[in-house]
Amino acid sequence: MRGPMNNRSLPLMLMMVPLCMPGSGAALAQDVPGIEICTVEKKMERRTSCLQSNINFLQTSLTRQVTDSSRKIEAANRQIQVLESTVADLRKAVAELQAASRKQPQSPVKEDKKTPAKQEAK
């Protein structure tokens, strides 16, 4: 240990700093957007502003969700179009291969799969 503060005590000290500042936690909590419980407010003006804040939060959340959903749907539609064109290309290739196989004469398949050279060796 080199002195009153070493490398191990520094993170502990940094974590305790916010706890020592009593007013800072409340001020930060008010800046975080979200749903608030408005029934605890006694004054009608404060309750109204609380409800309006909830409405604004819900509207922005809904707008963000709609935008995200639209992007995902557009991406899915683009992927579907690519897959449909790939399927069309594959169907065309299969049709060409089938047509080519019909035009070529089939070589007769031997039932006895042994070659004559092997039969002579025995």
Side-chain angles (χ1 to χ4, degrees), residues 14-33:
L14 291 175
M15 289 189 323
M16 292 183 69
V17 169
L19 297 175
C20 297
M21 298 167 41
S24 66
L28 291 176
Q30 292 176 356
D31 294 335
V32 177

Side-chain angles (χ1 to χ4, degrees), residues 4-75:
M5 187 185 316
N6 59 18
N7 289 340
R8 291 184 188 163
S9 64
L10 181 61
L12 181 62
M13 297 277 289
L14 291 175
M15 289 189 323
M16 292 183 69
V17 169
L19 297 175
C20 297
M21 298 167 41
S24 66
L28 291 176
Q30 292 176 356
D31 294 335
V32 177
I35 300 296
E36 301 174 27
I37 300 172
C38 299
T39 56
V40 296
E41 298 293 339
K42 301 293 182 203
K43 294 183 180 178
M44 195 54 121
E45 296 84 24
R46 289 181 60 101
R47 188 176 287 192
T48 303
S49 68
C50 177
L51 291 171
Q52 187 62 46
S53 173
N54 287 348
I55 289 169
N56 292 340
F57 173 74
L58 291 172
Q59 284 179 337
T60 56
S61 297
L62 183 62
T63 303
R64 187 179 320 119
Q65 290 296 325
V66 167
T67 304
D68 290 344
S69 297
S70 296
R71 283 190 205 129
K72 289 178 183 178
I73 289 171
E74 289 171 3

